[in-house]
Amino acid sequence: MTPPALRVIPGALELDAGWSWFCSHCAAAPSEKVSPLARMCRSCGMGLVLETRSEATPDCDDAFLVVDSRMTVQAMSWRAGELLNVIEEDVIDRPVAHVLTAPEAETHGPEDLITLLGAAIADSDRIHSLSVRPLGAFGVRVVARIAPCGPPRAALVVLGDRAPRQAFRIV
């Protein structure tokens, strides 16, 4: 009887993660191939179609933001507006720190959020999770999943927990 042969199996980092397209306003997935020249969402007509890691792709009921390399909010879902109690027009092109911050006053502040956003924008394809709170709201903690998206390269911030379909999970 011969012993079983050893074989190399790919590690988690070696697997090619899938990428998916979504609308930066309504989260709709395009029904056809996305053209680099025509990336306006055909579902809502208001958002730019972006690509992100498949496991980070928001659903239409998710609260999410898109943050650019200047750390300013460039897109926001209607659900994020409800959750953060802000109007889209008041948030676009404003620093992300004007809408999200660290959950505790004693923590390092928004630097951890800014660091993870910067990593997602710069070169990391990893997805990170972090507790944040809406600016001005105390006693509320929301889980933020941060993933790269683009083009152009930006960070996708999905607020809430995907497991049970809730608006957000209090930690």
Side-chain angles (χ1 to χ4, degrees):
M1 183 143 169
T2 61
L6 296 177
R7 62 185 171 112
V8 176
I9 56 174
L13 296 176
E14 295 174 21
L15 296 175
D16 185 26
W19 291 74
S20 300
W21 294 91
F22 71 99
C23 171
S24 63
H25 183 75
C26 71
S31 57
E32 61 228 20
K33 188 175 191 287
V34 176
S35 165
L37 301 175
R39 293 186 15 230
M40 182 64 69
C41 177
R42 292 186 184 200
S43 199
C44 71
M46 297 176 66
L48 184 65
V49 178
L50 300 172
E51 188 176 31
T52 190
R53 298 271 307 269
S54 295
E55 59 269 25
T57 306
D59 292 332
C60 62
D61 290 330
D62 282 336
F64 66 91
L65 306 167
V66 176
V67 179
D68 68 4
S69 61
R70 298 176 300 143
M71 298 301 152
T72 59
V73 177
Q74 292 302 307
M76 180 178 81
S77 69
W78 66 272
R79 185 73 179 112
E82 285 183 347
L83 179 66
L84 301 172
N85 196 29
V86 294
I87 299 168
E88 183 177 18
E89 292 80 19
D90 294 340
V91 173
I92 301 300
D93 279 332
R94 300 286 309 256
V96 69
H98 287 192
V99 291
L100 291 176
T101 190
E104 304 294 335
E106 293 83 25
T107 60
H108 296 107
E111 291 82 21
D112 293 331
L113 173 63
I114 300 301
T115 299
L116 293 178
L117 290 171
I121 294 166
D123 61 3
S124 175
D125 284 344
R126 295 182 54 206
I127 298 172
H128 298 277
S129 291
L130 174 72
S131 288
V132 295
R133 70 175 168 86
L135 189 67
F138 297 94
V140 176
R141 292 181 182 164
V142 180
V143 176
R145 287 182 295 124
I146 301 169
C149 70
R153 189 76 181 215
L156 171 65
V157 182
V158 181
L159 302 170
D161 188 6
R162 189 174 277 206
R165 296 298 304 165
Q166 299 172 351
F168 57 87
R169 180 178 80 186
I170 297 179
V171 182

